[in-house]
Amino acid sequence: MTQLEQERERLIQEIAEKEILLSDMRRRFSKLLYSMFPHSEPVEALRDALRADTVNGLQSLASQLDIRGVSKWRKEALVERVAEELLKPEQVRRMLLKLDDEDMAFFERAVREGPVEQLADDYTKHLQIRYLGLMQIFVRGEALTFVVPTEIRAIYRQLCEEGFEESRAFFSLLDRTVRASVNLYGIVGITDVLRMFNQFGPKQATRADIDDLLDQRRSGGEYKRWQEDLIKPDLADDGYAAAWALLTARGDRPRYQPGKSELLLYAERDFLLQNRAGQALIRYLLRDNEEFDVDAEDVTYAVEEVYDRLQEGQSIREVLEFLVEEDLIADTLQSYNAIIPLIRDLYNNMRLWRNNGFTPHELHQADGGDRVLPSPAHKPGRNDPCPCGSGKKYKRCCGK
């Protein structure tokens, strides 16, 4: 067996072991969830549905509803207190605004059709609706039955008559605007987000709306508040040291200002890699690893990590080391020389936080500054600067 064949077999074995481990974890998690749901005939009255829950489940729901001091309450007292709160239209509205689009669509289906029965192939689906007290899940044989209590259905219809759907659409657009702004700039002032959003019209947002949005936790951990700014959560590590470093590196650079259509594209993180340079790097890694049956999703994840590392200011040398550790490139001069131009091209076309959203290429074109990583016209000599941008000589860096 050749060295290449041995490496192929090693990778296949490693992937198989990880898939077995992941499958076992999913099975155990599903079994745990299965034990949490009531194994009984579905009930639709709110209090009866709550009684089917556990004390721990009711205490968790009480926490979601901002009900305090119930840790030692008996079950029936918990049922009554939680039911009292869930019968308030404003609480139901608040819980509904926390749902993502997929869960909201499923909730509306259960309101229209009554109890929805599905095969229990995935116990993690729609858990958030249950967690917020808007739905109960019952186990019957091999199926799950999802029930929205009668009282909650009535309150929801009342809210819709009062304009809830318009309110949800407003917060959905505000959430997308915040996510897009934070993905584009890393750190952005609340007043700047409101200014951008209010240009969209017709309904204007206020700081109170931003506070409501943060309370809804619709971001899924994609942004958080820091003083008068909204930031990526990773920048809050080590006492916000990374956030302060970013503001220092950015200085007084002007902000890149896209139009509404372009800005909202940045709300989806996947869009950041949809440019020509990102796709070229993905295609190269897939082609270079074709004989090892590397999964496209794993390659995309690795390129997202490359993007994040470059965004954080890591050198191309550090990025190369990461790709070697992930077994996506060989630790050879030939492999380095082939991929460095692709990484450099990705960097030069990235919307960098420290550039306030501008790409290095755009800044270079605007003022002729040395902000791009140049592409050598020929193979560098051993004493030439390394093309990875590390500042070292080629022989002491990628030419080792």
Side-chain angles (χ1 to χ4, degrees):
M1 184 180 291
T2 66
Q3 183 177 355
L4 187 61
E5 289 171 336
Q6 290 176 344
E7 179 67 7
R8 174 192 171 94
E9 290 301 315
R10 185 187 68 79
L11 286 174
I12 291 174
Q13 179 65 26
E14 184 177 323
I15 292 170
E17 290 173 356
K18 288 181 178 179
E19 287 179 345
I20 291 171
L21 178 61
L22 183 59
S23 175
D24 183 59
M25 290 175 64
R26 284 174 177 160
R27 180 185 58 78
R28 284 187 288 171
F29 185 53
S30 290
K31 187 175 180 180
L32 174 64
L33 290 175
Y34 181 82
S35 67
M36 289 170 50
F37 303 146
H39 293 237
S40 62
E41 288 296 312
V43 292
E44 297 189 49
L46 176 61
R47 285 178 173 81
D48 289 341
L50 292 174
R51 288 187 184 100
D53 207 342
T54 64
V55 170
N56 286 340
L58 290 169
Q59 289 174 341
S60 177
L61 179 53
S63 177
Q64 283 291 316
L65 295 167
D66 292 328
I67 302 171
R68 307 300 177 194
V70 296
S71 61
K72 296 182 180 179
W73 284 25
R74 293 183 180 276
K75 185 173 185 177
E76 191 58 31
L78 276 170
V79 167
E80 288 300 320
R81 183 66 184 90
V82 169
E84 176 188 344
E85 205 65 28
L86 277 174
L87 288 172
K88 296 178 181 178
E90 184 53 34
Q91 280 287 24
V92 174
R93 175 186 177 277
R94 179 169 162 257
M95 296 298 108
L96 286 168
L97 286 173
K98 292 175 181 281
L99 299 181
D100 62 25
D101 291 342
E102 182 180 354
D103 279 343
M104 188 67 204
F106 188 78
F107 172 84
E108 289 175 331
R109 177 188 169 191
V111 169
R112 288 193 311 271
E113 302 176 8
V116 177
E117 187 171 290
Q118 293 185 350
L119 289 178
D121 58 337
D122 185 354
Y123 295 102
T124 65
K125 285 182 178 178
H126 312 304
L127 276 181
Q128 179 72 350
I129 315 177
R130 178 184 184 273
Y131 181 59
L132 297 173
L134 300 171
M135 177 181 282
Q136 184 58 278
I137 304 174
F138 296 87
V139 179
R140 289 198 300 174
E142 297 298 320
L144 299 179
T145 303
F146 299 82
V147 179
V148 176
T150 305
E151 297 90 331
I152 301 294
R153 295 204 301 268
I155 291 173
Y156 174 66
R157 293 189 179 106
Q158 174 191 335
L159 289 172
C160 287
E161 291 175 1
E162 297 171 356
F164 170 76
E165 291 172 328
E166 291 80 2
S167 177
R168 179 174 170 81
F170 168 80
F171 278 106
S172 180
L173 180 58
L174 182 59
D175 173 59
R176 289 182 64 201
T177 303
V178 173
R179 279 191 287 122
S181 301
V182 171
N183 282 339
L184 184 57
Y185 306 118
I187 302 175
V188 60
I190 292 175
T191 55
D192 295 316
V193 171
L194 290 172
R195 188 181 302 115
M196 286 185 283
F197 179 85
N198 290 336
Q199 289 174 352
F200 302 162
K203 185 176 179 180
Q204 302 290 286
T206 65
R207 283 177 175 267
D209 294 320
I210 294 290
D211 291 338
D212 283 349
L213 187 67
L214 291 167
D215 176 64
Q216 294 164 23
R217 297 184 180 90
R218 292 168 63 92
S219 68
E222 292 183 53
Y223 55 82
K224 65 180 296 182
R225 184 169 186 161
W226 178 47
Q227 300 178 9
E228 292 301 306
D229 296 313
L230 295 163
I231 71 170
K232 294 291 285 186
D234 289 349
L235 295 174
D237 295 343
D238 299 323
Y240 293 91
W244 286 114
L246 173 57
L247 291 177
T248 301
R250 180 183 292 173
D252 58 356
R253 285 195 180 95
R255 178 181 293 110
Y256 175 72
Q257 299 185 30
K260 175 183 176 181
S261 297
E262 182 188 347
L263 174 65
L264 293 179
L265 290 173
Y266 296 112
E268 304 305 324
R269 193 174 182 280
D270 291 348
F271 177 74
L272 298 170
L273 290 176
Q274 294 304 312
N275 60 41
R276 173 190 53 79
Q279 290 301 300
L281 182 55
I282 290 173
R283 285 195 302 271
Y284 171 81
L285 289 172
L286 283 172
R287 187 172 62 249
D288 195 48
N289 291 280
E290 188 174 9
E291 60 186 299
F292 297 116
D293 296 324
V294 173
D295 187 71
E297 187 175 330
D298 292 338
V299 169
T300 301
Y301 167 78
V303 175
E304 287 178 355
E305 180 69 18
V306 167
Y307 188 100
D308 290 342
R309 287 168 181 256
L310 292 173
Q311 187 71 267
E312 293 165 4
Q314 288 192 16
S315 69
I316 291 184
R317 176 70 186 187
E318 290 172 304
V319 169
L320 292 173
E321 290 172 353
F322 161 73
L323 291 173
V324 169
E325 290 172 1
E326 293 296 307
D327 291 322
L328 288 173
I329 63 171
D331 188 12
T332 65
L333 177 59
Q334 181 181 3
S335 182
Y336 284 8
N337 285 338
I339 201 170
I340 283 175
L342 297 172
I343 298 173
R344 184 172 43 241
D345 194 32
L346 175 64
Y347 174 85
N348 286 336
N349 288 281
M350 281 176 57
R351 298 213 167 277
L352 295 177
W353 296 343
R354 55 187 173 274
N355 286 351
N356 227 353
F358 284 100
T359 69
H361 183 68
E362 287 170 340
L363 291 183
H364 182 70
Q365 285 187 319
D367 61 15
D370 186 19
R371 292 192 176 95
V372 297
L373 295 176
S375 178
H378 55 82
K379 180 179 178 180
R382 285 178 54 74
N383 290 311
D384 290 340
C386 186
C388 79
S390 66
K392 299 178 182 178
K393 289 184 178 181
Y394 183 61
K395 67 182 180 182
R396 300 192 182 282
C397 193
C398 294
K400 283 184 178 180

